[in-house]
Every structure is written in C-alpha cells, then in structure tokens.
Amino acid sequence: MGKETLKVVILGDGAVGKTSLRNQFVHKRFAMAYKATIGSDFASKEVETQDGRKVSMQIWDTAGQERFQSLGVAFYRGTDVCILVYDVTKPESVTNLLKWMTDFIRQADIPNPDSFPFVVVGNKVDVSNRAVSKRQGQEIAPPTPPTPFTPTHSPHSLPLFEVSAKTGTRVDDIFAYIAHNKTAAKQTEQLYNPTISP
Ligand code: GDP
Ligand code: MG
C-alpha cells in the first residue's frame, strides 16, 4: 500500500496564528514579526502514526486573503481535514469560525458536512491576557443555523486543541490526531472515531 497523503487546510481570521502553527509544525520555527502570507501554498510533512503507518500531511495556508473573506475553490478542493483556528485573546475570532466553516462547506462542495472532520484549535495559550476559556472554545455553535449546511451534531462535538504556536505546546498533537483518526477512518469507512483525545 502506498503512502497516504492528506490535504489539510488551516482556516480562521487574519493574525490568529495559522502561518505560525504551520511553521511550528513543519519547521519547528516561530517568528514574532507579522507578515501576511503571500500567495496560498502548501508545505508537507510526514507523520508516523502510533500503528506505524506513514502519512504525508499536505498543509495549505492562506495568502492573507482571509481579510477579503473568501479563498476560492482551488484552495478548498479535495480537502481531507479542515483546521479551524481562533486566537484565545480574541473572542470574535471564535464566533467568526462559523463563517469560515460555512464558507468551507460551500466552496469545497462537501457532500456530507455532518461527518466532515473539522478540528478546532485555540491558539496563543502562552499569553497572559487570555479572553476565551476552553469552554467558550467548545461552544462554537451559532444561536440559529445560518445555512442549511451547518453541521447538526457539531460544533459542540468537534475536537478542540488549545495550543501555542510560539512555544510549540500541543502543536504536534493536532497533526498526530488528524493522521491517526483520518487515515484509520479511511480504512474502516468509519469517520472520526477519536482515539487520541484532544
Ligand atoms: P495568520 O494571519 O493567521 O497566519 O497569523 P500569523 O501566524 O501570521 O500570526 C499573527 C501574529 O500572531 C504574529 O505576530 C505571530 O508572531 C503571533 N502569534 C502566532 N501564534 C502565536 C502564539 O502561539 N503565541 C503568541 N504569543 N503569538 C503568536
Ligand atoms: Mg498567515
């Protein structure tokens, strides 16, 4: 059996730390200077799962177009897993995740949104001025569903990782979780039965 490749997209408001998360995971690097990413692109990294399977993670980052809301079909097409990132110092970045999720489901043309593997990430837990509790992060549910595509079981049941792209805390866990669950799911046809807990 050939090596599996997963296309992973990272979505969320500008400056929540999407590029930093990817750099921390792929290059083990962090830069405090803020540069809007130029041109959407992907970087790959191989992960070995607990049961010894090699998974190549193709991680797509936005080009800073998140400021203009939509990223376009090419960015989303063929996505296996979507990471939704908020900033624990910015409550509005949590509420905006619903918009990102809805846009993703529409643009990526996800046939079965209810079972699509989203992973929620609360970034910047190293800071002292935290404004979003873990509980609040888990409540990404809208008061009223804005579109017919809004997952019914979610967002309450979406896995949530609280991380720091700066210190690296729990960053690898996100991708280990994805590699393990998503690829195991592909084999059993049973989507997302988490065995690595967030
Ligand atoms: P993006 O627009 O979502 O790609 O966000 P960036 O990765 O460019 O990060 C935006 C800003 O937040 C930069 O100044 C980063 O240095 C900073 N940043 C990102 N992650 C963290 C983190 O975990 N902790 C802290 N303290 N700052 C972070
Ligand atoms: Mg960026």
Side-chain angles (χ1 to χ4, degrees):
M1 200 172 78
K3 190 168 69 180
E4 288 179 83
T5 299
L6 291 180
K7 177 174 176 179
V8 179
V9 300
I10 309 185
L11 298 178
D13 285 358
V16 295
K18 301 179 299 296
T19 302
S20 301
L21 269 177
R22 189 177 74 170
N23 286 343
Q24 181 58 251
F25 173 63
V26 176
H27 309 295
K28 299 281 167 255
R29 266 204 321 253
F30 178 77
M32 209 59 209
Y34 177 60
K35 263 193 288 180
T37 319
I38 316 280
S40 63
D41 65 317
F42 67 85
S44 294
K45 181 169 173 170
E46 192 173 281
V47 171
E48 192 170 329
T49 62
Q50 285 167 339
D51 50 345
R53 286 172 298 114
K54 288 186 170 58
V55 181
S56 175
M57 311 281 269
Q58 202 182 78
I59 306 162
W60 288 67
D61 188 23
T62 66
Q65 323 91 311
E66 59 265 36
R67 281 164 192 77
F68 313 107
Q69 298 216 358
S70 191
L71 298 169
V73 172
F75 182 82
Y76 291 126
R77 189 185 294 127
T79 302
D80 295 298
V81 179
C82 177
I83 301 179
L84 298 164
V85 185
Y86 66 89
D87 176 341
V88 298
T89 70
K90 295 212 179 77
E92 71 275 15
S93 70
V94 181
T95 41
N96 282 342
L97 284 188
L98 189 80
K99 194 193 67 184
W100 286 112
M101 185 194 262
T102 307
D103 191 53
F104 170 79
I105 289 166
R106 189 166 38 83
Q107 301 252 22
D109 198 14
I110 302 297
N112 198 355
D114 286 354
S115 58
F116 189 84
F118 290 99
V119 174
V120 180
V121 170
N123 187 37
K124 309 195 187 182
V125 294
D126 59 279
V127 298
S128 51
N129 58 323
R130 185 177 170 132
V132 181
S133 68
K134 183 161 191 177
R135 228 199 106 107
Q136 288 167 316
Q138 282 161 334
E139 289 172 4
I140 302 169
T144 49
T147 78
F149 303 116
T150 305
T152 50
H153 75 289
S154 308
H156 284 290
S157 59
L158 295 179
L160 167 68
F161 288 86
E162 292 192 309
V163 311
S164 168
K166 183 178 182 179
T167 64
T169 304
R170 296 221 72 191
V171 170
D172 285 353
D173 290 356
I174 303 168
F175 297 95
Y177 174 84
I178 289 170
H180 184 87
N181 291 292
K182 179 59 185 166
T183 54
K186 269 186 176 170
Q187 285 166 3
T188 61
E189 295 285 319
Q190 214 181 31
L191 278 174
Y192 248 50
N193 180 19
T195 55
I196 296 174
S197 47

